[in-house]
Amino acid sequence: MSLSQNIVWHPSSVTREEREALLGQRGTVVWLTGLSGCGKSTIANELEKRLHDSGRATMVLDGDNVRHGLCAPPERLMTEQGEASANRFGLGFSADDRQENIRRIAAVGQLFVSAGIITVTAFVSPYRDDRRRARGLIERAGTVGDFVEVFVDTPLEVCERRDSKGLYKKARAGEIKHFTGISDPYEPPRSPEIHLPNDDSLPVEAAVDRIVSYLTSAGRLPAT
Amino acid sequence: MSLSQNIVWHPSSVTREEREALLGQRGTVVWLTGLSGCGKSTIANELEKRLHDSGRATMVLDGDNVRHGLCAPPERLMTEQGEASANRFGLGFSADDRQENIRRIAAVGQLFVSAGIITVTAFVSPYRDDRRRARGLIERAGTVGDFVEVFVDTPLEVCERRDSKGLYKKARAGEIKHFTGISDPYEPPRSPEIHLPNDDSLPVEAAVDRIVSYLTSAGRLPAT
């Protein structure tokens, strides 16, 4: 078949279902939400490790890997892309920018779902509307169940007491504006697929157990 | 280990190398570039099918799956995100918008590379600078070889004669502005990893053979 015949020839695409069959799993976004310092990254990394060790194809999306590329701030875009792009497309922390940040992450999550990957996202994502849109975008091309919302429900006092990055201290001192929980709201999920109450006593392993059990019983992972 | 101890605890992350070991391949972006109608999508789909059939974890990024989400036009963003976001973040076909379009795709390609996936992209991507930046972004976090540029070098006359989507006719009639090859330039790669001259006689299978051979000898795929 030569390229010149592609007017009448429909290329055979590999489907999502075929990719999933190869990997032995269903593409899913596990969307962790909660305050800064609530344990999202810790849970994301341990969850990925558990899944990887059992042979699953996985990815974690977090600030570390999206803020340097997909959702880079204006000053980073400036270097390579020039002023116009930096100003228009770079993402800071305004309401619009946060919304676009979550939208791009959800759009990428949807592509990873199409690739059949179990993808864990770890972002504060404080607004219900943004999370609702993320769910809509991710489940649009697929099926209900592709988006699993996990509320890491660590009380503010606990997060602030830990303050592992020193951010709460800076937020209280007014050095960081629009800090979720201090000067900006956090809107807790009303009906997350998984609710992880965390009062200092929930071991990470138990949190990961709950998520893995959920994914298994929902048919996203093969039963072991 | 409880979450509250994460001040002193470094979570164990799964690395790119571990994901690649699980999948038995190296994460790679195969970046197809060439005129509209040159055969990029046909080659992308056949290449993915060949790789998938031999057990490889793959993904294709093309206009069909990014223009509805990641790189959506303003009118689509408008519906859900509101006017401010639509105006600022939606992507049309201006020079800045095209540049940002390629940048987002490259950023996603880099995430797929981290996940260990063989990812085939099929975009005209007419500008050398944009492709150079895409290469830089994708190879930054990894190694040289993560980005494989494939020039699908079908002459304009052949593309225009096929005109499978009727776009050249519209471009000639002035109904589409900024159409690559007609009213906008195409800057051919100077040293692509793979050059596919295509004068109507190159079978798709032969094009796919060449790409698979390259990936195998470059150590991106296991030898068969």
Side-chain angles (χ1 to χ4, degrees), chain B residues 115-195:
Chain B
I117 309 296
I118 311 279
T119 308
V120 188
T121 68
F123 299 92
V124 176
S125 49
Y127 297 111
R128 274 191 206 105
D129 267 358
D130 289 348
R131 295 193 304 266
R132 178 184 54 74
R133 280 189 284 254
R135 182 188 292 272
L137 186 55
I138 288 165
E139 294 193 335
R140 186 179 57 205
T143 52
V144 171
D146 293 348
F147 181 91
V148 176
E149 188 174 24
V150 179
F151 179 25
V152 185
D153 186 10
T154 308
L156 176 62
E157 312 80 75
V158 176
C159 297
E160 190 165 2
R161 193 179 338 126
R162 289 180 197 158
D163 204 10
S164 47
K165 298 177 186 165
L167 298 174
Y168 283 93
K169 196 176 168 195
K170 288 184 183 170
R172 289 285 183 198
E175 293 165 38
I176 305 176
K177 311 287 181 197
H178 299 297
F179 194 82
T180 299
I182 304 295
S183 41
D184 258 15
Y186 179 80
E187 300 175 351
R190 291 207 177 97
S191 50
E193 275 77 4
I194 301 174
H195 183 185

Side-chain angles (χ1 to χ4, degrees), chain B residues 7-212:
Chain B
I7 296 171
V8 292
W9 183 61
H10 295 278
S12 54
S13 303
V14 177
T15 64
R16 168 182 169 175
E17 288 70 26
E18 290 170 324
R19 296 187 192 106
E20 291 178 326
L22 178 69
L23 297 171
Q25 63 191 34
R26 301 285 303 280
T28 306
V29 171
V30 178
W31 188 282
L32 306 181
T33 173
L35 296 168
S36 178
C38 71
K40 294 183 299 300
S41 291
T42 304
I43 293 173
N45 283 301
E46 279 298 294
L47 174 59
E48 184 182 29
K49 182 150 176 48
R50 178 90 66 90
L51 293 169
H52 176 84
D53 288 349
S54 67
R56 306 275 60 89
T58 55
M59 184 62 183
V60 166
L61 301 176
D62 59 18
D64 287 346
N65 60 19
V66 309
R67 278 276 168 188
H68 290 83
L70 184 69
C71 301
E75 61 273 19
R76 181 175 286 272
L77 285 189
M78 184 70 211
T79 319
E80 268 287 316
Q81 306 283 110
E83 194 163 0
S85 284
N87 289 340
R88 191 168 145 213
F89 300 119
L91 296 183
F93 292 92
S94 77
D96 268 1
D97 290 23
R98 282 171 181 266
Q99 178 179 292
E100 172 69 3
N101 186 49
I102 296 301
R103 191 194 71 82
R104 288 187 200 168
I105 291 158
V108 170
Q110 196 258 310
L111 294 169
F112 272 96
V113 163
S114 296
I117 309 296
I118 311 279
T119 308
V120 188
T121 68
F123 299 92
V124 176
S125 49
Y127 297 111
R128 274 191 206 105
D129 267 358
D130 289 348
R131 295 193 304 266
R132 178 184 54 74
R133 280 189 284 254
R135 182 188 292 272
L137 186 55
I138 288 165
E139 294 193 335
R140 186 179 57 205
T143 52
V144 171
D146 293 348
F147 181 91
V148 176
E149 188 174 24
V150 179
F151 179 25
V152 185
D153 186 10
T154 308
L156 176 62
E157 312 80 75
V158 176
C159 297
E160 190 165 2
R161 193 179 338 126
R162 289 180 197 158
D163 204 10
S164 47
K165 298 177 186 165
L167 298 174
Y168 283 93
K169 196 176 168 195
K170 288 184 183 170
R172 289 285 183 198
E175 293 165 38
I176 305 176
K177 311 287 181 197
H178 299 297
F179 194 82
T180 299
I182 304 295
S183 41
D184 258 15
Y186 179 80
E187 300 175 351
R190 291 207 177 97
S191 50
E193 275 77 4
I194 301 174
H195 183 185
L196 297 175
N198 179 352
D199 57 358
D200 245 15
S201 64
L202 180 76
V204 178
E205 286 77 4
V208 170
D209 284 346
R210 281 202 49 198
I211 300 171
V212 171

Side-chain angles (χ1 to χ4, degrees), chain A residues 1-7 9 11-15 18-20 22-23 37-43 45-46 48-61 65-66 68-72 74 76-77 80-82 84-92 94 96-97 99-100 103-105 107-108 110-112 114-115 117 129-130 132-133 137 140 152 154 158 161-164 198 200-205 207, chain B residues 1-7 9 11-15 18-20 22-23 37-43 45-46 48-61 65-66 68-72 74 76-77 80-82 84-92 94 96-97 99-100 103-105 107-108 110-112 114-115 117 129-130 132-133 137 140 152 154 158 161-164 198 200-205 207:
Chain A
M1 171 103 26
S2 105
L3 284 178
S4 62
Q5 295 172 269
N6 71 0
I7 296 172
W9 183 60
S12 54
S13 303
V14 176
T15 64
E18 289 170 324
R19 296 188 192 105
E20 292 178 327
L22 178 70
L23 298 170
C38 72
K40 293 183 299 300
S41 290
T42 305
I43 293 173
N45 284 301
E46 279 298 294
E48 184 181 30
K49 181 150 176 47
R50 179 90 66 90
L51 293 170
H52 176 83
D53 289 349
S54 66
R56 306 277 59 88
T58 55
M59 183 63 183
V60 167
L61 300 176
N65 58 19
V66 308
H68 290 82
L70 184 70
C71 301
R76 181 174 285 272
L77 285 190
E80 268 287 316
Q81 307 282 111
S85 282
N87 289 340
R88 190 168 147 212
F89 301 118
L91 296 182
S94 77
D96 268 1
D97 289 23
Q99 177 180 292
E100 173 69 3
R103 191 194 72 82
R104 287 187 200 168
I105 291 157
V108 170
Q110 195 257 310
L111 294 169
F112 271 96
S114 296
I117 309 296
D129 268 359
D130 289 348
R132 178 183 54 75
R133 280 190 285 254
L137 186 56
R140 186 179 57 203
V152 186
T154 309
V158 177
R161 193 177 342 124
R162 289 179 198 160
D163 204 11
S164 46
N198 179 352
D200 247 13
S201 65
L202 180 76
V204 178
E205 287 78 4
Chain B
M1 172 104 25
S2 103
L3 285 178
S4 62
Q5 294 172 271
N6 71 359
I7 296 171
W9 183 61
S12 54
S13 303
V14 177
T15 64
E18 290 170 324
R19 296 187 192 106
E20 291 178 326
L22 178 69
L23 297 171
C38 71
K40 294 183 299 300
S41 291
T42 304
I43 293 173
N45 283 301
E46 279 298 294
E48 184 182 29
K49 182 150 176 48
R50 178 90 66 90
L51 293 169
H52 176 84
D53 288 349
S54 67
R56 306 275 60 89
T58 55
M59 184 62 183
V60 166
L61 301 176
N65 60 19
V66 309
H68 290 83
L70 184 69
C71 301
R76 181 175 286 272
L77 285 189
E80 268 287 316
Q81 306 283 110
S85 284
N87 289 340
R88 191 168 145 213
F89 300 119
L91 296 183
S94 77
D96 268 1
D97 290 23
Q99 178 179 292
E100 172 69 3
R103 191 194 71 82
R104 288 187 200 168
I105 291 158
V108 170
Q110 196 258 310
L111 294 169
F112 272 96
S114 296
I117 309 296
D129 267 358
D130 289 348
R132 178 184 54 74
R133 280 189 284 254
L137 186 55
R140 186 179 57 205
V152 185
T154 308
V158 176
R161 193 179 338 126
R162 289 180 197 158
D163 204 10
S164 47
N198 179 352
D200 245 15
S201 64
L202 180 76
V204 178
E205 286 77 4

